[in-house]
Amino acid sequence: MNTLLNPAKYGKEEIEIKDRNELAFYLGKGRQVKKLIYDVKRWGEWITDRLKEDQDIRKLYEDDVAVYIGTWEVKCPHCARWTAIIGNYWLARVKDGSGKYRRLAFMHPVVRDDKVDIKVVDVNAIVGKVSRAKLDHNVIRIENRAFEVPEANIEARRNLARCLLCGNEIKYVDDKGNIADRGEWYVKWALKKYHVGDERFARQRLLVKVKVVDRNLVFESCADQDNQKLERAKEKINGLLEARDPDVPTEPIPFYGSIGGGLRFVLYDFGAKQWYKLFNPRQLLTLVKLVKLIREVGKKVEEERIEEGWGKEEAEGYAEAVASYLAVALTKHLDYNSNVVAWNPATGFGSPTAILRAGHTLSFRGIAMVWNFIDYNTTYDYISIPKTLE
């Protein structure tokens, strides 16, 4: 309720902006802007600057990577090798206003040395413009050339996955993980183990990183060192969990129960029963850092207003207002940055958000299991991305 009342309570005070570049927009005439809006923006920028300086976060991301695409891997019960579970191999399948293709790119698995590498096939980079391309099911045909896009190796509704190395169907296991004709679907069983700390059967993996170069999206395969960064983040998170840090959202997720004939919170079936398990370790560590910075802003704003002559109670109320709006901005960011947010290859260009093809948490009319999740580099300068790309 306070977020609705705060503008009426604190929205009358204005401040004069001497540098027009200091604020991206203005309310009212001239260079007068609402002090509350000004402070939310000013302290929001202070938070992002501190995050960029944070040594833990700096080591986890590459400066020029805007977003990473990841998925889950399971250890195949047939060949005992790690296989990625990929729900959609498309990276870009974008049409222009006339219905012609503008951008085509996809992933292709390559088996090397008992592991699966991901190769990026950028059709634009190979043939140039793709406006004459035709898509026949999963085959791109253009200029007497054909590019076959792999089909997903998972059908969750049928409790079916396929190992990319040995080709076997991954179906059921008993309670010890042994292959069985009936029982629990192995992928669910493996992820349940992961979520209670047993990572012998399932783990997260980064597949592709996305950059913006010369007004165009560039896709690159992730290397081992990219995934090692997830492990480093996990070490930090485990330390916070052991210390029972209150900023790690360990609260249980409410179970939906049966609504309208059986709607369920699907992630329960995969063992994700606490809020922090909706994020990969890197996303979670960034979230915790941001929460702590917002709390620090609250203290700084209160001190600043007291120095300006405000009473403690009034200064505390104003600081709470600024921190509350920053928290709202954080929740919006989290709506687009978790392991239940899917990469959307078909979204057209038009804004920084669309450029990065963000889905959001409720894209599937609920918090669903996602096999191609995205991981934003929170410290990346998205504002400087051109609003339209070639």
Side-chain angles (χ1 to χ4, degrees):
M1 179 62 72
N2 283 342
T3 55
L4 300 177
L5 299 178
N6 284 333
K9 189 173 183 180
Y10 301 112
K12 296 179 181 179
E13 182 182 3
E14 293 188 342
I15 185 172
E16 183 178 355
I17 305 300
K18 297 180 180 180
D19 181 359
R20 294 191 66 86
N21 294 322
E22 191 174 351
L23 200 64
F25 60 92
Y26 301 86
L27 294 182
K29 298 180 179 179
R31 298 183 177 182
Q32 295 292 321
V33 66
K34 302 295 183 182
K35 171 69 172 171
L36 180 58
I37 295 175
Y38 175 80
D39 280 342
V40 170
K41 183 178 187 298
R42 176 167 65 100
W43 287 106
E45 291 177 346
W46 181 88
I47 287 174
T48 55
D49 287 342
R50 298 295 81 74
L51 190 67
K52 291 176 181 178
E53 296 168 358
D54 189 289
Q55 292 304 307
D56 289 338
I57 301 301
R58 286 181 61 86
K59 294 176 182 178
L60 297 180
Y61 293 96
E62 295 175 66
D63 292 339
D64 60 343
V65 177
V67 65
Y68 297 78
I69 304 171
T71 191
W72 292 90
E73 284 188 322
V74 298
K75 182 169 284 188
C76 175
H78 298 277
C79 68
R81 294 177 291 182
W82 289 99
T83 180
I85 304 296
I86 302 178
N88 189 345
Y89 282 89
W90 282 102
L91 295 172
R93 191 180 61 211
V94 182
K95 292 183 178 181
D96 60 21
S98 66
K100 294 181 179 180
Y101 286 104
R102 181 176 182 180
R103 193 77 170 83
L104 292 169
F106 59 92
M107 295 179 282
H108 199 287
V110 178
V111 178
R112 285 199 190 99
D113 300 326
D114 284 343
K115 70 174 185 176
V116 178
D117 290 336
I118 296 298
K119 175 184 176 183
V120 171
V121 181
D122 190 329
V123 181
N124 291 72
I126 296 171
V127 303
K129 292 184 177 180
V130 294
S131 57
R132 296 184 179 181
K134 303 294 182 183
L135 186 59
D136 179 13
H137 186 49
N138 64 326
V139 178
I140 303 168
R141 302 189 186 279
I142 180 172
E143 299 178 0
N144 298 320
R145 301 189 67 170
F147 302 86
E148 184 173 356
V149 183
E151 294 186 352
N153 68 323
I154 182 169
E155 294 182 61
R157 291 183 179 180
R158 295 178 54 201
N159 287 351
L160 177 64
R162 185 179 298 277
C163 177
L164 295 174
L165 293 105
C166 67
N168 280 302
E169 292 184 351
I170 302 173
K171 290 187 176 180
Y172 304 109
V173 293
D174 59 23
D175 57 2
K176 294 182 180 180
N178 298 315
I179 299 171
D181 293 332
R182 295 182 179 277
E184 187 169 22
W185 184 30
Y186 174 76
V187 174
K188 285 184 179 178
W189 179 86
L191 264 70
K192 283 182 179 179
K193 291 289 186 181
Y194 175 90
H195 285 305
V196 295
D198 185 350
E199 299 183 18
R200 292 176 297 162
F201 310 100
R203 65 188 183 187
Q204 294 172 335
R205 175 183 173 180
L206 300 175
L207 302 172
V208 171
K209 45 194 174 186
V210 187
K211 301 179 179 180
V212 180
V213 179
D214 295 332
R215 299 176 61 81
N216 201 358
L217 292 182
V218 174
F219 302 99
E220 295 180 2
S221 301
C222 286
D224 289 342
Q225 55 263 36
D226 294 299
N227 284 289
Q228 289 166 5
K229 293 177 181 179
L230 287 185
E231 295 302 313
R232 286 201 290 270
K234 190 182 298 179
E235 293 174 4
K236 295 286 184 180
I237 289 298
N238 287 339
L240 294 175
L241 288 170
E242 290 174 6
R244 297 188 178 183
D245 190 298
D247 292 327
V248 180
T250 57
E251 299 86 352
I253 302 171
F255 185 65
Y256 284 5
S258 179
I259 303 174
L263 178 65
R264 294 171 58 83
F265 188 88
V266 177
L267 270 71
Y268 260 74
D269 296 336
F270 293 87
K273 298 183 179 182
Q274 295 164 286
W275 289 112
Y276 79 93
K277 293 178 179 177
L278 301 187
F279 305 91
N280 73 33
R282 188 163 62 179
Q283 292 169 327
L284 182 58
L285 183 61
T286 303
L287 161 61
V288 172
K289 298 273 187 180
L290 287 170
V291 169
K292 293 182 183 300
L293 286 169
I294 290 174
R295 185 178 294 112
E296 187 176 349
V297 163
K299 295 177 181 178
K300 288 182 175 294
V301 172
E302 181 180 348
E303 293 171 357
E304 187 177 72
R305 299 258 74 176
I306 289 175
E307 290 178 1
E308 294 173 359
W310 286 39
K312 179 171 177 56
E313 184 175 346
E314 191 177 18
E316 187 178 89
Y318 184 82
E320 182 181 334
V322 173
S324 295
Y325 291 120
L326 292 171
V328 170
L330 173 60
T331 59
K332 189 62 177 179
H333 171 66
L334 299 180
D335 185 25
Y336 288 87
N337 196 28
S338 72
N339 61 24
V340 295
V341 174
W343 176 257
N344 182 356
T347 303
F349 302 152
S351 70
T353 301
I355 284 168
L356 298 175
R357 291 166 172 71
H360 65 95
T361 303
L362 300 179
S363 294
F364 299 104
R365 299 183 181 180
I367 302 179
M369 194 67 200
V370 170
W371 306 105
N372 289 63
F373 58 76
I374 61 176
D375 179 358
Y376 276 114
N377 178 358
T378 307
T379 63
Y380 187 82
D381 184 10
Y382 294 97
I383 295 176
S384 66
I385 297 176
K387 290 197 173 181
T388 57
L389 299 184
E390 295 297 329

